[in-house]
Amino acid sequence: MYQTWEKLEKSIQNCQKCKLCKTRQNIVFGVGNKNAKIMFIGEGPGADEDRIGEPFVGRAGKLMNMGFELVGIKREEVYIANIVKCRPPGNRNPEEDEAYACMDYLRNQVILVKPKIIVLLGSVALKNILGKEYGITASRGKWVEKKGINYMPTWHPAALLRDETKKVDFIKDLLQVTKVQGL
Ligand code: URA
């Protein structure tokens, strides 16, 4: 059973489906255009996102915004969410039970947004959405079509902070997205 935006946002308010609820400051639900053609899915909130309650507002987010500007994507026109809505302590990867517990919310968001394209930011998003058999190094930059949605896996913006050479790939992958006709 899928819920309306209103019910979904209400139902998540006191979420205690996993242990991340014990350490979070804010639930980071998602942000952007609820009718977006393009959706971005990251991993989980970091310290800044946890404090502010919005995805990708920290250093990685600023880099992502710069990428958006370079290729002509407007942040307010896309929808941005994460695999988990609460910050994993110390910025560790979300654990399997946490991602599983949170997946219904994300599934519901995808159903409501109805994006044509989903950009998967990094390995955690890729594996949780398309399957564990996918690896980010081999998959990035290559379209995967599943159930009417076109997925574009790319590097997580935080990876660009660690390795500058990945920036070119990231921009190339975003450009592929912007070149899709009929968006
Ligand atoms: N990294 C993510 O995966 N998501 C955010 O919202 C911020 C940083």
Side-chain angles (χ1 to χ4, degrees):
M1 241 326 259
Y2 291 100
Q3 297 181 315
T4 60
W5 283 112
E6 206 181 5
K7 285 197 176 149
L8 183 63
E9 285 181 54
K10 214 170 176 187
S11 73
I12 204 171
Q13 282 321 308
N14 270 316
C15 184
Q16 301 192 353
K17 286 190 190 181
C18 84
K19 57 190 173 301
L20 297 180
C21 69
K22 296 187 187 135
T23 46
R24 72 172 175 236
Q25 280 188 58
N26 281 295
I27 292 171
V28 180
F29 178 71
V31 71
N33 178 359
K34 289 174 173 167
N35 298 306
K37 301 266 172 40
I38 309 170
M39 183 163 173
F40 287 77
I41 300 180
E43 183 178 311
D48 294 314
E49 290 77 18
D50 182 44
R51 186 167 43 80
I52 293 169
E54 183 176 323
F56 288 101
V57 291
R59 274 181 79 208
K62 292 205 168 83
L63 201 53
M64 188 167 84
N65 292 346
M66 282 167 67
F68 283 179
E69 267 184 43
L70 264 177
V71 304
I73 292 175
K74 294 202 169 69
R75 185 174 161 110
E76 63 276 12
E77 281 178 8
V78 301
Y79 192 82
I80 306 170
N82 281 308
I83 294 291
V84 292
K85 312 288 191 242
C86 300
R87 182 188 182 207
N91 295 346
R92 64 160 170 75
N93 284 357
E95 289 168 3
E96 216 162 294
D97 60 318
E98 296 159 355
Y100 182 78
C102 216
M103 195 50 80
D104 274 351
Y105 296 128
L106 184 59
R107 214 173 272 130
N108 205 144
Q109 285 171 302
V110 172
I111 283 172
L112 292 170
V113 174
K114 298 189 214 75
K116 286 192 168 175
I117 292 170
I118 296 183
V119 180
L120 299 169
L121 299 164
S123 167
V124 169
L126 174 66
K127 287 181 184 293
N128 277 286
I129 302 291
L130 291 183
K132 283 194 185 134
E133 66 275 25
Y134 286 85
I136 193 65
T137 307
S139 302
R140 68 137 283 274
K142 296 182 188 142
W143 290 108
V144 177
E145 201 265 343
K146 251 189 188 175
K147 295 186 187 166
I149 298 180
N150 293 293
Y151 293 90
M152 173 55 70
T154 190
W155 300 123
H156 190 285
L160 316 181
L161 293 167
R162 294 188 292 267
D163 177 359
E164 292 253 323
T165 64
K166 292 194 164 89
K167 286 182 180 172
V168 177
D169 293 340
F170 185 70
I171 295 302
K172 276 191 196 159
D173 299 346
L174 290 186
L175 278 172
Q176 286 204 65
V177 168
T178 60
K179 282 190 183 129
V180 173
Q181 301 292 316
L183 285 180

